[in-house]
Amino acid sequence: MFPKPYWSNTSSNSIVHDLIEKADDNTKNELEILVAGGIIEKPVHEDITYGDIYKSKDNLWNFLFFTGYLKAVEKNFIERQIYLSMKIPNEEIVYIYENSIREWFNSSIKTLDFSELYNAIIQGNTEVFESYLREQLRESISFMDSAENFYHGFLLGLLGDLQGYEKLSNRESGEGRYDILLKPYDERQPAIILELKRAKRFTEMEGMCHKALQQIEDKHYDAGIIDEGYMVIKKYGICFCKKSCMVMVKE
């Protein structure tokens, strides 16, 4: 048995879902700060009612505080207004936020057409591939305390509707485990290996892409699909840094 959150199965999390669904760029940034363990400051309106909840983002933050999804760590009084510095109170509620963000992301991408992205990946068009990733990163809400896992799940989510390919993740091949393998059902189509890296600085992205491509070669991640008889293999080194990315390909 593995530990799992209890409250998330017994309490309504609709306010968290509503905040995520209605989030603008500023709210997305604040959610990322909170999920990463940070603190945000908001004015407190103790006299608001449930009917006021959707009138402003501040009201939503207030309801999250009053219902226990945020806790106060400091209080300030500025120009006759009370401001609270707030954070997520515990790991169980962090899970609720993260799970709500995943559900929102998976639901939102189902409404989009990624056929151009899929064609770019298959054809080795790194410019279009990178452009799509950057656009979706700007729209997403990331878990900055576990960023590598976030980027992995983010990319798998985007690839969900790719037809004609088996999508494999973290499987053993050669002398290690690749990040993602797209194996075509039609052996005449290219097999695709994607190795992901995360950089702390934008200036490190190019070097990390080269490192990812070299890792594919050094660890022989293509050994299994070569044995199966695939003739064309495209290898991608992808580096993420915050809301940006860089893509390189080797065939």
Side-chain angles (χ1 to χ4, degrees), residues 198-251:
R198 175 199 172 205
K200 294 182 179 179
R201 299 178 179 85
F202 298 120
T203 53
E204 299 173 351
M205 293 169 66
E206 183 175 353
M208 295 296 277
C209 283
H210 287 296
K211 184 177 180 180
L213 289 172
Q214 190 61 48
Q215 183 174 324
I216 294 173
E217 299 296 332
D218 293 344
K219 298 291 186 180
H220 306 292
Y221 289 156
D222 56 357
I225 49 180
I226 289 175
D227 288 342
E228 290 185 49
Y230 288 96
M231 299 299 293
V232 181
I233 303 171
K234 293 188 185 296
K235 305 166 186 178
Y236 282 95
I238 305 173
C239 182
F240 296 94
C241 182
K242 300 178 182 179
K243 297 288 187 180
S244 185
C245 71
M246 182 175 289
V247 179
M248 293 184 181
V249 66
K250 181 178 180 181
E251 184 172 323

Side-chain angles (χ1 to χ4, degrees), residues 79-95:
E79 296 180 355
R80 302 187 183 90
Q81 174 68 58
I82 298 173
Y83 285 81
L84 288 183
S85 295
M86 300 179 289
K87 65 183 298 184
I88 299 176
N90 55 50
E91 286 297 313
E92 184 174 353
I93 300 181
V94 171
Y95 169 85

Side-chain angles (χ1 to χ4, degrees), residues 13-25 27-29 31-32 35 57 95-112 114 135-143 150 153-154 157-158 243:
N13 306 316
S14 60
I15 298 176
V16 177
H17 285 276
D18 290 341
L19 179 69
I20 293 168
E21 289 177 0
K22 299 175 185 296
D24 54 19
D25 288 345
T27 304
K28 289 176 183 177
N29 181 60
L31 283 165
E32 290 178 352
V35 175
K57 292 290 191 303
Y95 169 85
I96 293 172
Y97 278 92
E98 289 186 352
N99 197 52
S100 298
I101 291 168
R102 288 190 193 97
E103 291 177 359
W104 162 80
F105 177 74
N106 290 333
S107 176
S108 63
I109 62 175
K110 288 179 180 179
T111 65
L112 303 174
F114 289 117
E135 181 180 353
Q136 292 306 311
L137 283 168
R138 288 194 295 269
E139 295 297 323
S140 69
I141 303 170
S142 61
F143 313 148
F150 162 75
F154 162 81
L158 293 183
K243 297 288 187 180

Side-chain angles (χ1 to χ4, degrees), residues 124-192:
N125 188 333
T126 57
E127 184 177 349
V128 174
F129 188 2
E130 186 177 298
S131 176
Y132 265 87
L133 290 184
R134 286 172 177 263
E135 181 180 353
Q136 292 306 311
L137 283 168
R138 288 194 295 269
E139 295 297 323
S140 69
I141 303 170
S142 61
F143 313 148
M144 300 310 291
D145 57 341
S146 55
E148 290 185 16
N149 287 336
F150 162 75
Y151 292 125
H152 192 112
F154 162 81
L155 188 50
L156 280 176
L158 293 183
L159 295 170
D161 286 335
L162 174 61
Q163 301 299 310
Y165 278 81
E166 182 181 7
K167 304 161 192 75
L168 303 172
S169 174
N170 286 321
R171 302 286 184 89
E172 289 187 2
S173 183
E175 300 175 11
R177 290 178 177 269
Y178 53 72
D179 281 325
I180 299 172
L181 169 64
L182 304 177
K183 188 163 67 171
Y185 298 118
D186 182 348
E187 76 282 358
R188 295 169 297 181
Q189 295 297 314
I192 298 165

